[in-house]
Amino acid sequence: MSWLDICRETRFVLHKKSVALVLLVGFLLALFSVWTGSVEVAQQHATIERMQKADELDQAGVTKRYDEAGLLAYYTFHLTYAPPSSLAFAAAGVRDVYPWKHRIRMLAIEGQIHESDTQNPELAMVGRIDFTFVIAVIAPLLLILLLHDLRASERAAGRLDFLSITARTGYSLWPLRAVVVVLTLWLALVLPFIAGAIFNGVSAGLILSVIFIALVYILLWSLLCYWVARFSFSAPVLASFLIGFWLLTTFIIPAVANVAIDKGFHGPQGGDILMTQREAVNDAWDIPIETTMQAFVVSHPEWADKTQVKSLFEWKWYYAFQQLGDEAAKPLAQAYQQTAEDKYRAAGWVAWLSPATLLQRTLTDWAHTDAKAAWRYEQKVRDFHAQLRHFYYPLLFSDDKYHAEVLDARPVFKP
Amino acid sequence: MQELVISASNLCVNVKEKQILKNVSFSARKGEVMALLGGNGAGKSTTIKTFLGLMTPSSGSVSLAGVNVHQQPDVVRQKVAYLPESVMLYGHLTAIENIKYFLSLSGKQKTAGDIAEALQRVALQEASWNSALAGYSKGMRQKTAIALALLREAPILFLDEPTSGLDPVAIDEFNRLVKQLAAQGSTIFMVTHDVYGACHVADRIGLLHNGEIVGMFDAPEHGNIDSEVVHKAFTAGARNE
């Protein structure tokens, strides 16, 4: 195999209108996915920026309006968010399934987190046209179109023997032609990605990793197509076999697994957590204040001698039963998390039967747009909320008079 | 004595359970034109495909220029040019582009002048050289493929029904070209239905019937070819279909 052979087959492949059309479709789809992904990421950044400004204005207004820590804690919203990573434009992942921004208050946190519920979202990604979808789902289809009739079309045209006899060696025709097709398609797909990655500030190492894994994935499908194309069946038969395999591994296995995983792993829904927490909070209005405060000091013994409530309503009592609401919902929240993690792990095993899903999991992992990233963000929200409690409780429970200056020490969410 | 270039020795080829070739033996020397005649289903195409390495013998062997076809296929490919019955070059390429592509595929490099000379030699009208082959007649495609074979300068040519579908003038031109190539040292093996054409150009004619060689005639004996044997070979083959 020489450089001349490579040039010849490249010229030949690009000269064929059908091949050029498929490559163009691949390029345009990749370009579209990169463009829409970049626009989506830019919109998310703009949303965060807009919300940060609105949050600052809102907090300033509340601070000016109220001079009591309890009221301030009640009316002040705090923005929490998970900004998209630089690679998120290429792998949107579950960011439209799991929330990535909240405006939280000092009220019970679990209800604020679980206002929406999700079911095994890590398998619900098929269908969005991001770069990951183009590589994982569309690229195999384009490869099938390009390679299934590598020999069958020549056989049907009566050219197969002539080509085989004329070729200088066994390697200078079919393998070379396939390699040229595959590499050209890979280039058509990754060039828009590289441009988008540079625009979005992705590190060189990550760019190389993505284009490498895309190459490995495309080569795997190419080997399958090449192997199948060797059989002496007609092109439609070969295409049917390959498309059937693509359909099975890309859609049917994940869909069936999704149902099986949902049936196999049972846990509370987000709505259960929300209801449990709200019921605990609502019930607190009807039970004796002392009962609430005694339960509260179990987890906060440092305020044991400050639990006396002298009037019908005091903020420290109000926030104490908010915390108890969270504690009531905690076992459910932990079970919810455990179930979600079990489902995610099970989906990981299934992914070994579905290369497309495996690739999507890998890329969304790198882009921090998978379920694990969403859970990390949720935990950050809980941690931030705990910091808020840590900040406000001394203001609520101690006898010190409130000064606006203390707000300088109020925690600010850092993503 | 000239060296043996094409040689089949006790060649048997089976396809599934059916024996297509039965103990076929023949040879051709350098510069000879050998024609294998036979009816449909006689085993002509199987013979040519076995020589080209496209089919594997069940027993016996075939060699080209002393090289076993199935043991060293890459070596054999360098020595052979093949003209199929129905020449299907790439329709979206012009004659010149097709020739350049296939020459490159065979590892040969020729100048534009060489290509033009070959196309002139096969009498392909110059006006059509840069037209896509999709618009060519069968004769024009055949001429393009012959030009390609000439340019490849392969010492051995395999021709499968080379004159099928050509008009009489084109057949005469083709036969003249075959003789010319043989005179220059090429060894040519053709399978054909065309008894007249074969007698005209071949130095040796073999008659194939039901996968067996039923007669072999050298040039001086052409006039003595037993018409009954020919008749039997063709009609029996037709009956077998």
Side-chain angles (χ1 to χ4, degrees):
Chain A
M1 198 184 296
S2 67
W3 178 245
L4 285 173
D5 289 330
I6 295 168
C7 291
R8 179 196 71 238
E9 286 306 320
T10 307
R11 266 198 310 273
F12 176 80
V13 162
L14 295 178
H15 209 92
K16 279 183 96 172
K17 281 180 188 152
S18 57
V19 174
L21 185 67
V22 172
L23 293 174
L24 182 68
V25 167
F27 177 77
L28 290 177
L29 275 171
L31 195 65
F32 175 76
S33 71
V34 166
W35 176 65
T36 53
S38 299
V39 167
E40 173 62 28
V41 164
Q43 281 174 350
Q44 289 183 10
H45 279 301
T47 301
I48 290 168
E49 204 175 320
R50 198 172 59 245
M51 289 181 74
Q52 277 174 325
K53 283 179 184 160
D55 205 47
E56 278 172 25
L57 282 174
D58 187 49
Q59 284 189 4
V62 171
T63 307
K64 205 176 279 182
R65 202 172 307 131
Y66 302 107
D67 58 357
E68 191 184 342
L71 281 168
L72 208 65
Y74 185 84
Y75 286 110
T76 306
F77 284 87
H78 300 268
L79 176 66
T80 64
Y81 57 94
S85 69
S86 55
L87 190 59
F89 81 95
V94 294
R95 281 179 71 85
D96 58 351
V97 180
Y98 280 101
W100 52 267
K101 61 183 186 303
H102 290 90
R103 292 187 76 226
I104 62 161
R105 291 195 286 166
M106 262 287 286
L107 308 182
I109 185 64
E110 290 301 334
Q112 297 181 70
I113 289 176
H114 290 287
E115 278 176 347
S116 63
D117 195 7
T118 53
Q119 287 187 354
N120 207 27
E122 63 276 9
L123 284 176
M125 297 185 303
V126 167
R128 190 186 301 106
I129 302 183
D130 57 6
F131 178 71
T132 299
F133 180 83
V134 170
I135 292 291
V137 177
I138 304 289
L141 205 54
L142 298 179
L143 276 171
I144 291 169
L145 282 173
L146 290 169
L147 293 181
H148 78 280
D149 64 347
L150 190 67
R151 292 171 197 238
S153 62
E154 302 292 7
R155 192 183 300 115
R159 215 164 20 229
L160 186 72
D161 292 348
F162 187 59
L163 278 165
S164 302
I165 296 307
T166 309
R168 184 162 46 88
T169 67
Y171 296 104
S172 58
L173 179 59
W174 307 117
L176 185 57
R177 192 176 282 188
V179 165
V180 167
V181 166
V182 169
L183 289 183
T184 317
L185 177 67
W186 174 71
L187 276 177
L189 295 175
V190 299
L191 282 178
F193 165 76
I194 293 170
I198 292 169
F199 175 76
N200 283 283
V202 181
S203 69
L206 201 49
I207 294 176
L208 288 175
S209 301
V210 172
I211 61 176
F212 176 73
I213 199 172
L215 180 62
V216 169
Y217 180 76
I218 284 173
L219 283 178
L220 280 175
W221 271 100
S222 307
L223 284 174
L224 176 74
C225 293
Y226 187 79
W227 177 69
V228 169
R230 291 173 67 94
F231 290 109
S232 302
F233 295 112
S234 66
V237 172
L238 298 174
S240 301
F241 175 80
L242 286 166
I243 288 174
F245 187 77
W246 170 79
L247 208 58
L248 179 74
T249 58
T250 309
F251 291 103
I252 296 173
I253 288 177
V256 171
N258 195 18
V259 173
I261 287 171
D262 266 350
K263 295 275 180 206
F265 294 89
H266 300 285
Q269 302 295 307
D272 300 335
I273 299 169
L274 187 68
M275 287 304 293
T276 304
Q277 180 244 283
R278 283 191 179 165
E279 278 172 12
V281 168
N282 290 339
D283 289 350
W285 291 99
D286 302 325
I287 60 175
I289 291 174
E290 295 75 27
T291 309
T292 299
M293 297 314 274
Q294 277 166 14
F296 175 74
V297 295
V298 171
S299 59
H300 288 82
E302 67 272 27
W303 304 116
D305 57 346
K306 299 284 185 186
T307 56
Q308 196 179 8
V309 175
K310 295 167 187 164
S311 58
L312 276 176
F313 179 86
E314 281 191 31
W315 282 112
K316 61 183 177 188
W317 167 63
Y318 179 80
Y319 289 112
F321 72 65
Q322 293 291 330
Q323 168 133 7
L324 291 177
D326 273 342
E327 286 173 10
K330 193 175 179 183
L332 281 180
Q334 284 174 337
Y336 175 92
Q337 181 65 26
Q338 188 58 51
T339 309
E341 285 177 19
D342 289 345
K343 284 180 175 180
Y344 186 81
R345 227 182 337 269
W349 287 110
V350 172
W352 287 101
L353 299 174
S354 168
T357 309
L358 193 61
L359 181 70
Q360 285 174 327
R361 281 173 72 92
T362 306
L363 291 180
T364 53
D365 181 34
W366 292 355
H368 306 305
T369 53
D370 59 352
K372 286 187 296 176
W375 300 332
R376 283 196 296 273
Y377 163 66
E378 277 183 13
Q379 192 51 47
K380 277 186 179 176
V381 175
R382 286 191 185 93
D383 294 344
F384 174 66
H385 192 267
Q387 287 175 30
L388 283 179
R389 281 179 168 153
H390 187 71
F391 170 77
Y392 277 114
Y393 282 171
L395 297 175
L396 298 167
F397 282 88
S398 73
D399 299 325
D400 297 344
K401 193 165 168 47
Y402 165 77
H403 295 288
E405 292 77 40
V406 297
L407 294 182
D408 293 344
R410 188 167 60 184
V412 175
F413 180 80
K414 289 185 180 64
Chain B
M1 182 182 264
Q2 292 279 37
E3 61 180 297
L4 281 181
V5 175
I6 297 174
S7 168
S9 172
N10 298 319
L11 178 64
C12 295
V13 176
N14 292 354
V15 176
K16 292 177 183 170
E17 299 299 309
K18 194 177 177 191
Q19 193 170 24
I20 307 296
L21 294 180
K22 302 162 192 168
N23 285 318
V24 170
S25 296
F26 60 83
S27 59
R29 297 183 187 284
K30 187 172 184 218
E32 273 189 344
V33 178
M34 174 162 179
L36 199 58
L37 294 173
N40 292 330
K44 302 190 302 293
S45 292
T46 302
T47 307
I48 217 166
K49 283 186 174 181
T50 310
F51 269 105
L52 294 172
L54 299 170
M55 293 181 83
T56 311
S58 344
S59 63
S61 65
V62 287
S63 64
L64 294 173
V67 178
N68 187 301
V69 170
H70 297 91
Q71 285 171 359
Q72 293 175 278
D74 286 354
V75 175
V76 167
R77 273 198 198 99
Q78 310 279 4
K79 299 175 184 293
V80 168
Y82 168 53
L83 190 65
E85 178 182 1
S86 182
V87 180
M88 296 303 291
L89 300 175
Y90 287 106
H92 66 287
L93 301 180
T94 66
I96 289 176
E97 286 168 343
N98 263 295
I99 286 173
K100 280 182 178 172
Y101 176 81
F102 282 98
L103 276 178
S104 168
L105 189 64
S106 66
K108 289 271 179 192
Q109 285 190 49
K110 292 286 176 186
T111 64
D114 292 335
I115 295 172
E117 191 187 324
L119 287 170
Q120 277 165 350
R121 206 169 152 195
V122 297
L124 185 70
Q125 288 178 336
E126 195 168 342
S128 59
W129 291 0
N130 287 304
S131 308
L133 245 70
Y136 274 31
S137 67
K138 183 179 178 182
M140 289 165 80
R141 288 202 306 272
Q142 194 89 340
K143 285 176 178 176
T144 309
I146 296 166
L148 172 63
L150 294 176
L151 285 160
R152 285 197 55 202
E153 295 170 333
I156 308 165
L157 256 73
F158 281 90
L159 313 175
D160 190 356
E161 304 285 0
T163 53
S164 148
L166 295 186
D167 61 54
V169 177
I171 290 173
D172 276 349
E173 282 174 1
F174 176 79
N175 289 339
R176 180 178 46 79
L177 206 59
V178 167
K179 281 182 172 173
Q180 219 175 69
L181 287 170
Q184 287 166 5
S186 295
T187 308
I188 296 161
F189 180 88
M190 63 165 80
V191 297
T192 181
H193 283 100
D194 180 11
V195 181
Y196 170 79
C199 290
H200 191 63
V201 294
D203 300 303
R204 179 178 292 183
I205 293 175
L207 289 177
L208 195 65
H209 164 53
N210 259 356
E212 290 177 281
I213 297 282
V214 292
M216 189 66 79
F217 304 91
D218 286 333
E221 300 169 336
H222 285 175
N224 302 326
I225 291 178
D226 188 338
S227 61
E228 269 188 37
V229 174
V230 174
H231 182 75
K232 183 187 163 191
F234 278 82
T235 52
R239 246 196 335 270
N240 282 343
E241 283 189 317

